[in-house]
Amino acid sequence: DFCLSRGLGDVYKRQHAHVQKKAADDLFKLIAPSACNKNKVCVDLGAGPLVNTHQLKSLYGNVLSMDLSFNMLNSCNKGDYKVCADMDNLPLQSNSVDIIFSNFAVQWSANFNMLLKSLYEVLKPGGQAFISTVVEGSLNEIKTAFAAVDSHSHINTFNSVDYINQSVQSSGFNITNTISTCLLYTSPSPRDRQ
């Protein structure tokens, strides 16, 4: 269930929630039940409106929901611990976190490579990060549609898979599992997306 304020929540649910929910479901499938422990500290990085908080709390005892948007964090009363902060300037001590969960957020980092190094630093030895992100080539249909209007870029650019893999490896992480999935949302007409 989504816990959002009216207006923002309605738009979020209609246009984005289904793709993000599928990506979150895929991340949760990667978490081994044996790794779950009520004494572990989990950071939900880019938590937004806390749509994954309840499920994370069922796996880990302490969930810190972190997002850049104060309004998104406060749109719901689910989270026990909320921190409004920039992922590119983590307010966390080294070796203080067991699990990092981030669904569709890290692509907004101004310096993805440095972000991963920071995430690695805050993880305790043996800690794990479960991350989904948008990659280069995403939203090409929208880019193509706007190209007919003008020559300006109307969508964000995203990191390539190669750059992401290089950044992960140079940060110190060991990749134990990767899943590449194309999540597609279609509607009969642009009007149906509103």
Side-chain angles (χ1 to χ4, degrees), residues 142-152 154:
I142 295 172
K143 183 178 181 179
T144 301
F146 272 114
V149 177
D150 59 37
S151 61
H152 301 290
H154 293 273

Side-chain angles (χ1 to χ4, degrees), residues 167-179:
S167 297
V168 168
Q169 291 172 356
S170 71
S171 67
F173 282 104
N174 293 318
I175 300 173
T176 57
N177 201 333
T178 61
I179 297 173

Side-chain angles (χ1 to χ4, degrees), residues 6-176:
R6 229 178 130 192
L8 170 65
D10 293 343
V11 171
Y12 181 87
K13 282 191 264 187
R14 276 197 319 266
Q15 295 183 358
H16 306 290
H18 54 282
V19 172
Q20 286 182 309
K21 172 90 171 87
K22 171 67 172 114
D25 289 347
D26 288 346
L27 282 181
F28 279 114
K29 288 175 188 172
L30 294 174
I31 300 172
S34 61
C36 300
N37 182 320
K38 293 293 184 179
N39 294 321
K40 289 188 175 182
V41 175
C42 174
V43 171
D44 185 2
L45 184 66
L50 312 183
V51 296
N52 297 306
T53 298
H54 180 71
Q55 191 166 354
L56 288 169
K57 283 186 67 69
S58 73
L59 302 173
Y60 308 107
N62 299 299
V63 176
L64 174 68
S65 301
M66 186 180 297
D67 200 275
L68 183 61
S69 172
F70 180 77
N71 289 338
M72 289 292 260
L73 287 171
N74 283 323
S75 66
C76 179
N77 292 325
K78 275 195 238 181
D80 293 336
Y81 307 105
K82 301 175 189 175
V83 175
C84 184
D86 186 344
M87 72 176 80
D88 289 324
N89 191 19
L90 293 174
L92 302 170
Q93 294 180 347
S94 296
N95 302 314
S96 62
V97 175
D98 298 291
I99 302 293
I100 294 169
F101 183 95
S102 184
N103 186 43
F104 276 30
V106 297
Q107 68 271 7
W108 307 124
S109 171
N111 189 332
F112 183 75
N113 191 42
M114 286 303 299
L115 170 63
L116 288 181
K117 288 178 181 180
S118 296
L119 294 178
Y120 186 81
E121 185 178 314
V122 302
L123 279 173
K124 294 176 183 176
Q128 294 181 295
F130 298 92
I131 298 172
S132 68
T133 189
V134 180
V135 298
E136 181 181 62
S138 298
L139 307 179
N140 273 340
E141 295 81 4
I142 295 172
K143 183 178 181 179
T144 301
F146 272 114
V149 177
D150 59 37
S151 61
H152 301 290
S153 178
H154 293 273
I155 65 167
N156 291 345
T157 57
F158 302 112
N159 294 320
S160 71
V161 172
D162 287 341
Y163 178 76
I164 291 168
N165 286 332
Q166 289 169 2
S167 297
V168 168
Q169 291 172 356
S170 71
S171 67
F173 282 104
N174 293 318
I175 300 173
T176 57

